[in-house]
Amino acid sequence: MWYVIEGYDGDGVLARRLEARADHLARLVALRDAGRLLVAGPCPAIDAEDPGPAGFSGSVVIAEFESLADARTWADADPYLAAGVYTRVEVRPFRRVLP
């Protein structure tokens, strides 16, 4: 089943985000390579493709897992959580309709 994983950035965490980015992306690449990633990306804190020093308000991942518990376990191991980028993470089931 598909799950939405939404991480919410704290204030002033852009430097921490950049430091942990390579490890964060490596996990997403592994999901992609396994055919389990629908979409992933950050949410700019302002209405701009590149928010510069404004940074990001969080990230969204939609990926396939065996269960909600597995999705939560995966989300809890995110390097952005360990680095203090995310203040909270929400995981919920997602039903893909389109495309």
Side-chain angles (χ1 to χ4, degrees), residues 8-31:
Y8 296 86
D9 285 23
D11 293 329
V13 297
L14 183 58
R16 285 188 237 164
R17 178 183 264 273
L18 295 174
E19 288 173 14
R21 187 171 189 264
D23 292 336
H24 172 79
L25 288 178
R27 298 175 77 235
L28 294 169
V29 167
L31 283 177

Side-chain angles (χ1 to χ4, degrees), residues 4 14 41 43-44 51-53 73:
V4 174
L14 183 58
C43 302
T73 297

Side-chain angles (χ1 to χ4, degrees), residues 21-65:
R21 187 171 189 264
D23 292 336
H24 172 79
L25 288 178
R27 298 175 77 235
L28 294 169
V29 167
L31 283 177
R32 181 200 65 197
D33 291 351
R36 296 173 43 208
L37 182 65
L38 182 61
V39 66
C43 302
I46 60 173
D47 189 14
E49 181 74 22
D50 179 359
F56 300 90
S57 62
S59 303
V60 175
V61 174
I62 301 178
E64 190 173 33
F65 294 92

